[in-house]
Amino acid sequence: ALLAHNATVYLAARSESKANEAIRELAAQTDGKEATFLELDLADLSSVRRAAKVFAAKEEKLHMLFCNGYDGVIRHLDLDAN
C-alpha cells in the first residue's frame, strides 16, 4: 500500500534473492513501483551498523519501520565490535 502511494520503501533482509523476489511481487501489484533492497542481518551488529550507514547516506529521515519475520528466539548474536 505504501508503494501505491509513492512512498520510498526499503526492504531490509538477509537474503537478497528472497528480498528481490518480494520486490518483484510488490512491483507487479503496484504498477511497477519498486522497493529498494537493504542488506540487514539483525543477529549481526556489524550488519546493523552497515545497513544504518547505507540508509543514512540515502535518506534524511525514517518515517516508519515495520518489522516482520522475527520468531522471538535469538539463535546467534554476533557481538563483534566492528
Side-chain angles (χ1 to χ4, degrees):
L2 293 173
L3 282 172
H5 293 283
N6 297 317
T8 300
V9 174
Y10 285 82
L11 200 155
R14 290 176 300 191
S15 170
E16 185 172 4
S17 62
K18 289 181 181 180
N20 284 334
E21 182 179 329
I23 288 169
R24 284 190 295 276
E25 289 178 21
L26 289 169
Q29 296 171 13
T30 58
D31 296 324
K33 297 176 182 173
E34 290 193 13
T36 301
F37 170 66
L38 180 64
E39 185 175 0
L40 174 62
D41 181 352
L42 292 174
D44 178 353
L45 293 179
S46 64
S47 172
V48 174
R49 286 186 198 97
R50 193 169 39 253
K53 286 179 184 177
V54 168
F55 182 84
K58 294 180 180 183
E59 303 295 337
E60 292 182 18
K61 294 181 181 181
L62 174 64
H63 295 281
M64 282 190 242
L65 176 65
F66 294 95
C67 297
N68 186 23
Y70 175 61
D71 63 8
V73 178
I74 297 176
R75 289 169 183 76
H76 171 75
L77 180 60
D78 182 355
L79 296 176
D80 182 4
N82 296 326

